C-alpha cells in the first residue's frame, strides 16, 4: 500500500537552514520557476508536490504572497561581516546589540538597519554635493559651446545653443548609488519599521538625484578626500546593489530578494586575504587549455606568480562537505591536477 506524504506547510519555508530539504511543498509552476531563478533554493517536482532544497545560498526572497528564508549557520551578522571583508571593507564592526533585531532576523533586515544607522552618521552634515558635467541645449550661453554639435544639429541657427557646463548638484555618482541602494532595500518586505522610516527620509532628501532604470549599470564611485564621510555608506550600498534582485515575472508572480551564495563568498574572501599578503596573486583568470585558440579553457580560483610573472603554484577553493571518509571527490582532484598540468 502506498502512503501519501504529509504536505509541508509553506510557513516552514520561512525558516530553512543550510543544506535542508523539505517535501512535499504545494507550489505552482510559476512559483517554482521563480524560486529557481532566485538562486536561493532549488525546487524540483517530486511525487505530488515539489522538493525545495537549500544548498549554499542564504538570504530571503518573497515569491508572490509567501517568503522563503535560508538562515546561515554562523549567523547573519557574521555573514555580513565576512561579506564586507571579502569586498575590501576592513574594520567594519557590527555590534549585534546595536542592530537590535530578533535572533532569527534575516540578512536583508540586518543590512537595512546597518544602512539606516550609517545614513544617520554620514548625512548628519547634509548630503554631499559635487560637480557634474552636463551637455544641454540652452537659449543662452553657459559654459562652453560645442561647435561641432551646434553646426550638425542647428545648421547655422544661433539659438538654442549646444553647451557643456559643470553643475554644482546633488546628482553625483555617489548619491545615485546611495539612493539606488535605499530603494532596493525599500522594495524588500522584511525591513524593520524604524529602518524603513530612515530610508524613506533619505529618499526624500535625495529627491533630485536621478534614479537609474532597473538593470541599468551604475557608475562606480572613487574614494577621495572629499567623499571620505560617505565611504562606509557607499561600501554598504555596494553590498546592497550586488546582492538584491527584483524580477517581474510573467503574469502576477513577482520576486523580491536578497541572496548571498556562501560558496562564492568563501572563494572571494580567501582570494582577498591572500591577495593582501601576496600582491602577485591572480584570481579567476582564464587560461587556454588546448592550445588551439581557446576552444577549451580553465579558470583557476588562484594562481601564484613569481616576481617575473611566471606561475609557480595554483589553488582551488571549495565550500562543500568532505566525503564520508573525509576525502575530496574525484572530480575536484581531476580539476586541480588539470590546473597544475596546465
Amino acid at each position: 500500500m502506498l502512503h501519501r506524504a504529509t504536505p509541508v506547510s509553506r510557513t516552514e519555508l520561512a525558516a530553512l537552514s543550510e543544506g535542508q530539504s523539505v517535501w512535499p511543498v504545494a507550489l505552482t509552476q510559476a512559483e517554482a520557476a521563480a524560486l529557481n531563478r532566485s538562486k536561493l533554493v532549488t525546487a524540483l517536482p517530486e511525487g505530488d508536490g515539489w522538493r525545495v532544497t537549500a544548498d549554499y545560498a542564504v538570504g530571503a526572497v518573497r515569491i508572490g504572497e509567501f517568503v522563503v528564508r535560508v538562515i546561515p549557520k554562523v549567523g547573519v551578522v557574521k555573514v555580513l561581516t565576512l561579506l564586507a571583508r571579502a569586498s575590501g571593507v576592513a574594520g567594519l564592526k557590527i555590534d549585534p546589540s546595536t542592530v537590535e533585531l530578533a535572533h532569527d532576523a534575516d540578512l536583508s533586515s540586518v543590512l537595512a538597519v546597518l544602512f539606516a544607522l550609517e545614513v544617520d552618521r554620514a548625512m548628519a552634515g547634509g548630503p554631499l554635493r559635487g560637480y557634474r558635467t552636463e551637455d544641454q541645449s540652452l537659449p543662452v550661453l553657459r559654459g562652453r559651446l560645442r561647435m561641432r554639435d551646434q553646426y550638425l544639429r542647428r545648421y547655422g541657427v544661433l539659438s538654442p545653443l549646444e553647451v557643456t557646463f559643470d553643475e554644482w548638484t546633488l546628482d553625483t555618482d555617489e548619491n545615485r548609488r546611495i539612493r539606488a541602494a535605499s530603494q532596493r532595500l525599500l522594495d524588500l518586505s522584511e525591513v524593520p519599521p524604524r529602518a524603513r522610516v530612515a530610508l524613506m527620509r533619505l529618499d526624500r532628501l535625495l529627491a533630485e538625484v536621478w534614479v537609474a532604470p532597473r538593470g541599468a549599470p551604475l557608475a562606480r564611485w572613487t574614494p577621495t578626500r572629499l567623499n571620505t564621510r560617505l565611504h562606509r555608506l557607499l561600501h554598504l550600498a555596494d553590498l546592497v546593489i550586488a546582492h538584491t534582485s527584483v524580477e517581474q515575472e510573467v503574469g502576477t508572480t513577482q520576486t523580491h530578494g536578497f541572496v548571498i551564495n556562501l560558496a562564492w563568498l568563501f572563494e572571494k574572501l580567501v582570494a582577498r586575504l591572500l591577495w593582501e599578503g601576496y600582491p602577485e596573486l591572480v584570481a579567476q583568470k582564464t587560461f587556454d587549455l588546448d592550445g588551439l585558440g581557446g576552444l577549451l579553457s580553465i579558470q583557476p580560483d588562484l594562481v601564484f606568480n613569481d616576481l617575473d610573472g611566471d606561475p609557480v603554484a595554483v589553488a582551488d577553493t571549495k565550500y562543500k562537505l568532505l566525503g564520508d571518509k573525509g576525502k575530496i571527490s574525484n572530480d575536484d582532484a581531476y580539476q586541480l591536477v588539470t590546473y597544475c598540468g596546465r
Side-chain angles (χ1 to χ4, degrees):
M1 171 183 277
L2 294 177
H3 296 279
R4 186 181 299 272
T6 302
V8 173
S9 172
R10 288 187 179 211
T11 58
E12 294 187 34
L13 297 180
L16 298 175
S17 58
E18 293 178 62
Q20 184 179 359
S21 182
V22 293
W23 169 85
V25 183
L27 299 172
T28 66
Q29 288 191 349
E31 289 170 340
L35 276 178
N36 286 324
R37 277 192 288 270
S38 74
K39 306 297 185 183
L40 178 63
V41 296
T42 57
L44 298 175
E46 185 170 329
D48 296 330
W50 296 80
R51 180 176 291 276
V52 178
T53 303
D55 289 322
Y56 300 119
V58 295
V61 294
R62 176 175 289 276
I63 308 294
E65 296 301 320
F66 71 99
V67 174
V68 179
R69 183 183 293 107
V70 180
I71 302 171
K73 294 179 180 178
V74 297
V76 294
V77 171
K78 185 57 138 180
V79 169
L80 288 176
T81 303
L82 295 177
L83 178 62
R85 187 70 180 88
S87 302
V89 186
L92 178 63
K93 303 297 184 182
I94 303 176
D95 185 356
S97 62
T98 303
V99 175
E100 294 182 350
L101 289 172
H103 71 280
D104 59 347
D106 60 39
L107 286 163
S108 58
S109 298
V110 177
L111 185 56
V113 171
L114 290 175
F115 193 87
L117 291 173
E118 190 59 33
V119 165
D120 290 340
R121 187 197 67 81
M123 297 292 179
L128 188 68
R129 291 180 177 269
Y131 285 104
R132 174 174 290 279
T133 302
E134 296 189 8
D135 295 338
Q136 290 190 15
S137 300
L138 299 177
V140 296
L141 181 63
R142 180 182 180 186
R144 177 176 58 84
L145 180 66
R146 304 196 313 274
M147 298 293 295
R148 178 178 175 82
D149 289 340
Q150 185 72 25
Y151 175 78
L152 294 177
R153 296 182 183 181
R154 305 303 172 189
Y155 306 104
V157 177
L158 296 181
S159 182
L161 299 173
E162 300 298 323
V163 298
T164 297
F165 59 91
D166 292 330
E167 178 75 10
W168 180 249
T169 177
L170 280 180
D171 192 19
T172 62
D173 290 339
E174 293 91 344
N175 287 336
R176 287 183 178 185
R177 203 163 193 84
I178 291 170
R179 192 180 186 198
S182 69
Q183 292 193 344
R184 297 279 187 96
L185 289 171
L186 285 170
D187 283 335
L188 302 177
S189 60
E190 304 299 320
V191 177
R194 288 179 59 185
R196 185 173 294 276
V197 170
L199 293 173
M200 294 174 67
R201 189 188 310 118
L202 173 66
D203 196 61
R204 291 192 298 269
L205 187 65
L206 300 180
E208 67 181 73
V209 175
W210 179 73
V211 179
R214 290 291 184 185
L218 287 167
R220 290 195 168 275
W221 65 279
T222 302
T224 66
R225 177 182 57 82
L226 297 177
N227 61 18
T228 300
R229 65 184 170 98
L230 297 181
H231 285 183
R232 285 168 59 93
L233 182 58
L234 286 164
H235 282 304
L236 289 174
D238 290 343
L239 299 184
V240 173
I241 292 170
H243 298 284
T244 50
S245 62
V246 179
E247 302 174 13
Q248 181 65 52
E249 308 296 347
V250 177
T252 59
T253 303
Q254 192 175 33
T255 304
H256 298 271
F258 182 85
V259 177
I260 296 175
N261 186 294
L262 291 183
W264 168 87
L265 173 58
F266 177 71
E267 292 179 7
K268 188 171 183 179
L269 178 62
V270 170
R272 166 67 61 175
L273 296 176
L274 289 175
W275 176 79
E276 290 176 356
Y278 195 93
E280 292 78 16
L281 175 71
V282 178
Q284 298 292 337
K285 181 180 179 181
T286 301
F287 296 85
D288 291 340
L289 181 62
D290 53 11
L292 299 175
L295 295 177
L296 294 175
S297 62
I298 57 174
Q299 190 179 58
D301 290 335
L302 304 166
V303 176
F304 298 85
N305 296 326
D306 58 21
L307 296 179
D308 296 325
D310 297 324
V312 294
V314 65
D316 195 60
T317 52
K318 297 292 184 186
Y319 182 85
K320 59 174 60 176
L321 296 175
L322 298 177
D324 295 336
K325 298 181 179 180
K327 296 181 179 180
I328 64 172
S329 68
N330 284 351
D331 291 344
D332 292 338
Y334 293 155
Q335 182 182 24
L336 192 54
V337 168
T338 302
Y339 289 168
C340 292
R342 170 61 176 85

